[in-house]
Every structure is written in structure tokens, then in C-alpha cells.
Amino acid sequence: MRTFQRTLDRTGVLQVDSVNVLQRAHYMPLYSRMGPYDTGLLHRAAERGPRRVVEYWAHVQAYMDVGLWPVMAHRRDFYRSRRGKWAVLREDPELERALLAEIADRGASTARDLDDGLPRSKEHWGWNWSRARQVLDYLYTVGDLAVAGRTGSFEVRYDLPERVLPREVLDRPTPPVAEQHLELVRRAARSHGVATRPCLRDYFRIPRLEQVRPAVEILLETGELEEVRIEGWDRPAYLHRDARRPRRVAARSLLSPFDPVVWERERTERLFGFRYRIEIYVPAPQRVHGYYVLPFLLGDQIVARVDLKADRAAGVLRVPGAFAEPGAPADTAEELAAELVRLAGWLGLDDVRVGERGDLAAALAGALAAGWGASHPAG
């Protein structure tokens, strides 16, 4: 748990996504940084008292440190003022009161538990939300409810904030909005190590760049940030005082499509020369690399990308496509093979099978056949 906490402190937020073709998105950034770990640690941190993390719209839907609750007050107020996240939700005070009273009485509940068959819509990529579900989501975004956890089928369980968040967190005074932005920028800077203002804005999705500038100025004055230049970047950047530049980086891991390293596409392309797009919502004939494609980090470079699928029924990690980046080192296939074997073991899968798509597929299949993954653990 101490290792988990250190990793969470550095990463800051874990994006939540429902796609489960490989592994739920919020588990993967921890794996990428810690290696194979017990996912029960995240469940303990999120669902048992005293909770260490709570779900909220922190980047998008994400687990965040419970200590961020007071500095998200401006976001809760914004959603209350505009009646929802995406579209204005028509007022229905009677339904709001009824849902709050029912949850207060019965405890943590899903929308399915509370749904009485109200009309549903099929908007937003096929989500099938009832009126009750829409109101529950609104009540969560404004802080009248909190996420107590999720069911095995990934349904949100809502409860009263006082039954989810530690009392001492709820009792903290709400800082002025400028101080809320300052804390979010401070944490974003610590997680990034080095970043431009747009990077710092994006990490916790602060609405406007001008809300970031005063925070950056304060952090420069206090010495928490130092203004620097990043090679290949034509705008100022800021180095956090705790960032370390090691002589050598020995990383080897796959990154989720929702990993903070690849959130901000311009940052990823500038720092790594890696152009990345998620193709989940692209029609299959138009996909370039595949449905669920993970970048492969080796050393301090992203050297390849692989389309992955966990075939749980067959116990196989399937690799429909594998693609090398320009300038990928000669041992990319062997190192990727070892990482895929490690990932498969963490997912409880017995085998890795490579398809034919991509310029790295044949070499990767050969490395796996040679038993590279079994004899070369993570570096």
C-alpha cells in the first residue's frame, strides 16, 4: 500500500473508462509504474475507510486523492450553475429530493436499484441513461452525492458524501477559487515534472489558460517551479523543483490509451516524437493501428505500439497488430515480447498470440517463440 500511495501521489489521478477489452483504464497506469500488482489495493483505497481516493470529474471521470475534494468546489459550483456536465438538465427538484431520500435510507445504490422504468435515451455513444440516471449524475457532479464504488458490472454506486469521504476532508474550509486553481496547478506540475502552461491546464482540466497563469507566477516566486526551455518546443516551460533527471532511464512498460503520459497529444508528440490517436470510436475500416492500441515505452522513448485484446475465455492475450516507431532500437521486438508475457501473467492469461498486422508482428512472434518473455523479466 505504501508503494501504491507513492505512485498515486506522483500520478495524481487515474482516469476511469468503461472499455474492458484489455483491462479497465484506471488499473493500467499503476501497472505501468509498479509492474504486476494486486488490483485489490485500488479497491481498498477507493472503497474502504479511511478512503484514499474518490471518483470525481477530476480530469474526466477519474480517481483522485480525497484531499482534492475541497479544491474541486469551483467545479461543483460550475456544474450546479449550468445544470450538468454536457447539456442543461431540466430542473426536477421533486425527483432530486426523492433520490437523495432513498439513498439516505437504503445506503449506496446504483441507478438500476433506483430506476422505476422512466424513459431512456440512446445518445452519447449508445449510453442508455434513464431520467433517474441523469439526475444521479447531476447530483454527483455538484457534490450532493459521491461515488461509493462500482459493481462487478461497472455500475456506479452512489451514496451521501458523508458516508464516502473522510470527515476531516469534508470539514475543511473551501479555499478561494484562485487558491483552488493554485493547488491543482501545483499538483499537475509535480506529476508532469516539466510542463508548459497548456499542459498544466489540461491535467485537471482547468477551464481557461488565464486561470493557470497566476498560479504559475506564484509557484515561480516560491521556487516550486523554474522556467526552462524544452528542446523542440517554442513556448516557455516549467520544471518542478522535485523533478529528477536521471543519467539513465531503464523503464519498460505498456501505457494505457488513457495514461497521463499520452493525455495531452501535443505534449506527447513534442517530447517523444510520437503521434497518437485513440481509434476506439473510429469505424473499423478506417482504423490505422487497431481498436485498443497501447504505446510501448522503452527507456525514455516510445518505440512501438500494439493493438491488444484479452481473450479471457481462451486464456490468451491477443496481439492483432504490432507496429514499430521510426528509429526503434534493434531489440524492440524482444523487449516487447517480455513485456507482453509479463502483462499476460498479471491479467491471468496463459499465452500470447500475435496476428499479422504491422511491421513488427513477425519479429514479435519470433521473439515470443524463442521464449524471450519467459527468460527476461522487466528491466
Side-chain angles (χ1 to χ4, degrees), residues 246 248-253 297-300 378-379:
R248 176 174 175 269
V249 177
R252 189 193 76 199
S253 199
L297 178 71
L298 185 64
D300 61 358

Side-chain angles (χ1 to χ4, degrees), residues 13 19 24 67 106 114 131 157 184 228 248 298 319 366:
V13 282
V19 175
R24 301 284 190 196
R106 67 186 292 162
L114 302 169
R131 177 68 177 160
R157 296 168 57 247
L184 293 177
V228 297
R248 176 174 175 269
L298 185 64
V319 189

